[in-house]
């Protein structure tokens, strides 16, 4: 008998997410494998198979070299583990450079995984890509503000929305993306005033990360929030448990017991 009671008991769809704006904050976390996706099943409305897996899973420096093959492989794993959350596949850098390229790659995501949507980074300069995808029945989650895939062209990870002119640009980006058909927008690394202005300007939900408390939902990377990623901790990350410490303690106990021939005791022996 399971002692765990899931908080969500029906499959989350695009219409579930649309109806949550202004009613109840949306929870989203990243996952890259079936085991963690299963832990998150019934607990959060959305799971993002983020290209952050390039750091959190593969140990690379940034997200840039993630490939469509990797995203598909990890999304398949996540879909095997999670039955209820909406699963979103993050389109990696270079896979949506034109409407044709984007439709080809996103169609592959739909054909080879059970993801319900894809995410692409970019504001109004990427609206034509969003339009092409949605016209081909592919649901799109937008992503504006700090966009990790454009790290090199933007000259680093820069917090956005510090000046009114930039807030206006971000609001215009969000409105244009909504018109192009996104069902929700991730707003990353912006000042809270900017996130609030964006959230008020659009009728689709905004999902914040490092964007304060006024967005319609929040997303965090699982390895950050559970204390497994130790290279650095951005200011916006709250660690809800210390995963790395727990694993180290468990490992140390295992090592000591093996060395002392305490494990396996008769309890763990056939
Ligand atoms: O790749 C990712 O995990 C993301 C989130 C930070 C939104 O894009």
């Amino acid at each position: 008998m399971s002692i765990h009671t899931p908080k969500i008991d029906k499959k989350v769809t695009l219409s579930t997410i649309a109806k949550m704006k202004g009613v109840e904050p949306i929870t989203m976390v990243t996952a890259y494998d079936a085991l963690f996706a299963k832990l998150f099943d019934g607990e959060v409305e959305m799971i993002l198979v983020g290209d952050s897996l390039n750091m959190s899973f593969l140990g690379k420096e940034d997200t840039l070299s993630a490939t469509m093959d990797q995203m598909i492989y990890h999304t398949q794993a996540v879909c095997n583990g999670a039955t209820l959350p909406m699963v979103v596949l993050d389109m990696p850098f270079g896979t949506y450079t034109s409407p044709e390229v984007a439709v080809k790659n996103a169609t592959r995501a739909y054909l080879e995984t059970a993801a319900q949507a894809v995410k692409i980074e970019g504001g109004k300069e990427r609206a034509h890509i969003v339009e092409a995808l949605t016209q081909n029945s592919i649901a799109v989650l937008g992503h504006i503000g700090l966009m990790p895939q454009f790290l090199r062209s933007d000259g680093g990870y820069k917090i956005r929305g510090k000046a009114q002119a930039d807030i206006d640009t971000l609001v215009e980006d969000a409105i244009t993306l909504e018109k192009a058909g996104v069902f929700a927008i991730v707003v990353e690394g912006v000042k809270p005033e900017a996130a609030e202005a964006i959230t008020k300007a659009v009728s689709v939900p905004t999902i914040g990360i490092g964007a304060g408390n006024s967005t319609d939902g929040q997303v965090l990377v699982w390895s950050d929030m559970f204390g497994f990623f130790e290279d650095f901790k951005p200011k916006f990350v709250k660690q809800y448990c210390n995963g790395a410490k727990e694993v180290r303690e468990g490992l140390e106990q295992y090592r000591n017991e093996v060395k002392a021939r305490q494990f396996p005791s008769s309890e763990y022996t056939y």
Side-chain angles (χ1 to χ4, degrees), residues 3 31 69 108 115 118 120 141 176-177 189 194 212 246:
I3 50 158
D69 283 348
R108 212 187 133 201
V118 298
I120 69 169
L141 175 61
T176 314
L177 288 179
E246 296 266 317

Side-chain angles (χ1 to χ4, degrees), residues 161-174:
K162 290 183 179 168
Q164 188 56 47
D166 197 34
I167 297 181
D168 295 344
T169 303
L170 289 165
V171 167
E172 202 187 324
D173 279 340

Side-chain angles (χ1 to χ4, degrees), residues 52-66:
S52 51
L53 64 79
N54 222 33
M55 288 104 94
S56 295
F57 188 85
L58 284 162
K60 300 244 177 108
E61 281 284 299
D62 55 41
T63 63
L64 264 85
S65 58

Side-chain angles (χ1 to χ4, degrees), residues 51-116:
D51 60 0
S52 51
L53 64 79
N54 222 33
M55 288 104 94
S56 295
F57 188 85
L58 284 162
K60 300 244 177 108
E61 281 284 299
D62 55 41
T63 63
L64 264 85
S65 58
T67 67
M68 203 63 208
D69 283 348
Q70 282 164 353
M71 299 314 297
I72 285 179
Y73 176 80
H74 287 275
T75 304
Q76 287 169 340
V78 166
C79 292
N80 288 341
T83 56
L84 299 175
M86 169 183 287
V87 175
V88 180
L89 178 149
D90 204 3
M91 301 276 288
F93 181 74
T95 63
Y96 50 94
T97 46
S98 71
E100 295 71 30
V101 170
V103 169
K104 185 166 175 267
N105 283 311
T107 302
R108 212 187 133 201
Y110 263 27
L111 293 177
E112 296 180 33
T113 80
Q116 287 148 283

Side-chain angles (χ1 to χ4, degrees), residues 30 32 48-53 63 90 119 121 143 148 186 188 209 219 221:
T30 69
Y32 317 120
L48 173 68
V49 186
D51 60 0
S52 51
L53 64 79
T63 63
D90 204 3
K119 176 168 85 59
E121 294 182 10
H143 183 153
V186 167
E188 176 166 3
I209 174 160
V219 55
V221 170

